Structures are given as structure tokens and as C-alpha cells.
Amino acid sequence: MSRSAVAWALGAAVVVAGMVLLPSQLYTGQVRVVTAVLMFVALAQAWNIIGGFTGYACFGQVAFFGIGGYATAVLMEHANWSFWAALPVSALGCAAFATLIGLPLLRLRGHYFAIATLGVAEGMREVVTNLGWLTGGGAGITVPTVGGRGTAWLGNDGFYLLFLTLAGLAVGVATLIARSRFGYGLRAINQDEDAAAAAGVNTTRAKVLALTISAAITALVGSAYAFQQVTIYPQRLFDVDITVIMIVMVVIGGAGTVLGPIVGAVGLQFVSEYLRQHYPQEHILVLGAVIILVVLLFPSGLTGVAGRTGLLDAIWAYRL
Amino acid sequence: MTAPSKTPRALETPFLETRDLTRRFGALRALSGVSLTVAPGTILGVIGPNGAGKSTLINVITGHLRPTAGTVCVDGVDVTGAPPWRIARAQVARTFQIVKPFRGMTVRENVAISAMYGPARGMSKRMAFELADGMLDRLDLTGLAARSPAELPVGDARRLELARALAARPRLLLLDEVMAGLRDAEIHSMVQLIRSLRDSEGVTVLAVEHVIKAIVAISDEICVLHHGEVLTCGAPQAVLSDPRVVQAYLGTRYAQRDGSS
């Protein structure tokens, strides 16, 4: 291992150890806030793979979140699976779904792709709402966590660790992609799809694979979220706001970078939380103004600005 | 008995062959029954007035546009209608008339991408960057390796376009006006480079060009497109002195005056 690789491994170990030990220093409410931040780090990073690296703005990302959550709830409630079996199977099922819809939808470019995926998410919500015998319909479905059925609820610290693991997984996958040949192919597609194809990039395969990976990670998070919430409803699990939050986080942090979605998710969650506590009446309005300001002042995201001033290069030795 | 085996392959199989290639855009026939052949290791220059169908011809050959009718064969293999990346992996590289660099990457990364995906599917990142460095050196772009392609002047941008095409190690190279906007010295070195690709590496080239002086300097043969049809093909000097060609370019009045003087 080179010296920089050792330095990175050490740095990562310190961060992981600090994150694992963090809950012992916080109140229960604070643990919940950080858990939510970690969930959004994972979600933003997942969206970043298709929307940031590949440049296909998926406005229906919440469909994968909802499918992951509902697949887990249904498997646990109706098939008596444990959460730990339902979690990966939900993600695999959602990955298959993403591959199937990706093949036709990724032929669309720009706004057309965004609108089509938005339609998929809205449609999935209606499907889940109307399959009452399976999903409980609009009344929701409750994941079994007591009475010897299902899996015991993990508790605040348990869910903290679960979402920490998922956030780490998402960041790890994004890092691998960013540094791989596949990642160069995705960035090429993002910047000029015709030129990418002329260079020999199998654009269809790369795009579908990016959407599939993105969907699988999103479904893992949805699955964990359903278990955490215990009772889930279609309106919440397929809420378009969740997609919007992911996109906003990626855009204000820096699309197509690994660091950007982390900065965006952490920043937006904490600013949002701060405003909610200090300006309970008008916090949404102020948050909106903050987002508009950031996008206007830093069009390539907060990390993009740091990168241009050389600050980022100093702390982030490799381009990610 | 030895004579047939000594016949240059050029006389037997063309490396690139289009047959009755037609492409319509609505009512407009951008290409109309274009049949061309390019022998292996030779350079075909394609000229013609604006709107003659030159860029459409390249786009149809490389799969960026589907032909309405007709076929494209590369090295005897029918590639008609194949997607661009598949044609690229048959070692066909192209440049774009309006340069299409990946603007969010450095010049070096731009070239490395072609090396990663073009020639051999399994080329590692490290090998691709080594090949890219060699190509940057060859095209005199080494000093610009870390720059963003968005800030390059036209001459450098055209050389980058060519470096990317060459990093794919093509056997067939399709050039869409690589000389446009270049200064005389730049045109001269571009001519030298394209000749050396043919002479020392046996690359087959189809070059669309407006700079007549340059096209004459590199071409073994020239075809003239006019209104989507092949007007004439042949040796460069013969084609350029063909009255029909002069007429197509300059109009009837100039052709007559030229003929009377």
C-alpha cells in the first residue's frame, strides 16, 4: 500500500470508530436526528449514481424507496421472513424492477426521462394503494416486531448502526464507481452521450447498470426505513418530497462527486433541523430561500466551489 | 501463378464500402443512393458544398444515424444499423465537426476514455492512461494534459478531437472537417500526421473537408457529394478540374467563364 492509501485507511478507521461511538455521547432525540442524516446520506449518494454521475435526473427515485419498504413489510408480514432476509431480497427485487423499467425509459433524454420516472413513482403508489389484500392499501401495513413473529425492533441505537452501515455502503459503492472505468463511462455519458458512444462506451448497458445499482441502494434504505417506522403508508413511502430532498441534497453538495452528496445531506438536514427549532412558523420558507441562495451562488455545488479554490484538492488528494 | 496472390488486397476487398446509402429527414434526402469504396490503407477525401450530405454520410457510417436504405460494410462485415459503440469497437473512430469533448474532464482523461473503451474491451485504466499520454505527446498536447477542454482554442480542440479518435487505435478513421478553422502551419502538421497514419500504420481514412488544398494533399482519391448524391469520384486533380464539380461549387456562371478563359 502506498503512503496515501495508508493515510486514507487510517482516516476512514477514525471516522468509522467515531461514528460508531457517537450515540453514547448523545441524547435519544439527537441520535434520531443523526440517524435521519445518515439515511439521507445513503439516499442522496444513491441518487447521485444515476442523477449525478450519469446525468439522468431520476424524478421517480422514491419508487425504489417505496418498493424496498413494501417488499420488506410484505415479506415479513405475509411470509414470516426475518428482516435480515427481507432486506437483501427487497433490494434484489427492486434492482430487477429498475433494470426492466430502465431499458425503455433510459432511451429518453433530459426532461422526458425525468417526467417518465415521475410517472413510474406516482403509478407505483397507486398500485400499492390498490393491492389492499397484500399491502393493506391506504390503511398501511404493520411490520411484525413482537410476539415471536418477524424480527425484534432494533431500538434507536440499532437503527443508528443500520443506517450508518447503509450510508457507508452507499459511499463505498460511489467511491468504487468514481474511480473505475465504469465511472469514466458514466461521466462520459453525462457530458456528451454521442461522443461517449463514439468512444466505444456501451451507453445502454452503462445507463441501465447505473440505474440498477442506484435503485438497489435506495431499496435497502427504504427497507430499513419501513422496519424503523413499523407501520408504513403508501402516501409516505412514495412521497415525491423524498425524491426532491435527495435531488436538492446532491445539487447543493455537488453532483457527480462522492463528497458532494455527503456535504449536501448533512448540511441540509442540520440547517433544516436548526430552522425548525428556531423558526417553527416560517422554517420551510427560510429553508427554501437558503437552498435558492446556495444554488445561485454555487452552481456546481458546495464541494465544487471548494475544489476550484484548491481547498478540496488539499484535503481530498484524489479526484472523486 | 504467383500473380494473383501478389495482387494488392486493395483491389479485392474495400475496407469501407457503402452501397446505395440513403437517408431522409422527412421530405429531405440528405443522402441519396451513395455508393463508395475505400481501399485498405488509403485516404478518401469527400468534398462538396454546404448541405451536400457529408456529415450525414459519416453519421450514418458510424451508427449515429440509421440509414433509410442501403448498407455499410467495414472490413467485409455488414454493420448497417449497429449502435455507435458497437461500430467503435470494430475499431472505427471518428471526429465530430462540432467538437464534442467531455467538458468536465481534463484533456488527458478525454483521451484516456477512448483508450479504455475503444480498442480492446479489457484495457485497464492504467494502460489507458499510458496510451493516452503517448497520444498526447504525438499530437503535441502534453502541455495541455491537465487543462479543461472547454478553454482550448480551436486548433488545440481539433487536435484533441483527433487524439481521442486515435487513442481508440482505429483501423478506419472518419474525419469530419478536422482542418476547419486551423492556421496554415496547423494545417501543414495535420496533413503530415494524417499521411503518417496511412503510411506507417496502414489506417484507412475517410476525410470530409472544406479546405481543398489540404484534401488534395492527403487524398488518394476524392469523391464529390452534391445534394446527397455522388457527383464524381477519382484522382484528386482530375476531380477538381471536372466542370461539373466547378459548377457545383461556384455556380454555372463561374464554370462557363472558367471554361472560356
Side-chain angles (χ1 to χ4, degrees), chain A residues 178-189 191-205 319, chain B residues 64 84-85 88-89 92 94 96 100-106 109 113-114 116-118 120-123 125 129 164:
Chain A
R179 302 181 70 165
S180 69
R181 190 169 158 268
F182 174 54
Y184 272 101
L186 294 184
R187 285 163 64 199
I189 289 170
Q191 290 165 24
D192 195 314
E193 193 160 343
D194 286 333
V201 179
N202 183 344
T203 49
T204 306
R205 201 181 69 176
R319 277 198 54 170
Chain B
H64 286 85
W85 57 269
R89 286 181 185 176
V92 177
R94 67 166 295 176
F96 288 92
K100 285 177 172 287
F102 303 121
R103 293 179 191 279
M105 302 182 206
T106 63
E109 286 174 314
I113 289 220
S114 292
M116 278 180 222
Y117 282 94
R121 302 180 58 168
M123 181 172 272
K125 251 176 65 186
F129 274 106
R164 286 202 311 183

Side-chain angles (χ1 to χ4, degrees), chain A residues 188-313:
Chain A
I189 289 170
N190 183 355
Q191 290 165 24
D192 195 314
E193 193 160 343
D194 286 333
V201 179
N202 183 344
T203 49
T204 306
R205 201 181 69 176
K207 288 187 293 186
V208 171
L209 189 57
L211 184 68
T212 301
I213 294 170
S214 172
I217 296 171
T218 308
L220 285 174
V221 180
S223 169
Y225 180 77
F227 188 31
Q228 185 197 31
Q229 297 296 306
V230 182
T231 301
I232 56 173
Y233 306 91
Q235 296 91 321
R236 181 59 189 147
L237 267 270
F238 291 94
D239 187 351
V240 70
D241 282 358
I242 297 176
T243 303
V244 173
I245 292 171
M246 287 187 233
I247 297 172
V248 169
M249 286 172 167
V250 172
V251 169
I252 65 175
T257 66
V258 174
L259 204 51
I262 303 174
V263 171
V266 173
L268 190 69
Q269 275 299 106
F270 278 120
V271 169
S272 168
E273 196 63 27
Y274 176 87
L275 292 174
R276 199 188 340 258
Q277 285 172 15
H278 290 79
Y279 306 94
Q281 296 300 313
E282 53 282 87
H283 85 270
I284 294 285
L285 190 66
V286 179
L287 186 63
V290 169
I291 291 170
I292 290 171
L293 268 181
V294 171
V295 171
L296 283 178
L297 293 175
F298 313 113
S300 56
L302 294 168
T303 56
V305 177
R308 235 178 291 126
T309 55
L311 181 65
L312 197 63
D313 294 337

Side-chain angles (χ1 to χ4, degrees), chain A residues 167-182:
Chain A
L169 176 78
V171 172
V173 169
T175 307
L176 285 177
I177 290 175
R179 302 181 70 165
S180 69
R181 190 169 158 268
F182 174 54

Side-chain angles (χ1 to χ4, degrees), chain B residues 20-48:
Chain B
D20 294 327
L21 213 49
T22 299
R23 168 71 200 203
R24 288 196 203 91
F25 295 104
L28 175 76
R29 278 170 173 261
L31 289 179
S32 189
V34 172
S35 297
L36 293 171
T37 58
V38 191
T42 66
I43 299 176
L44 174 71
V46 176
I47 61 172

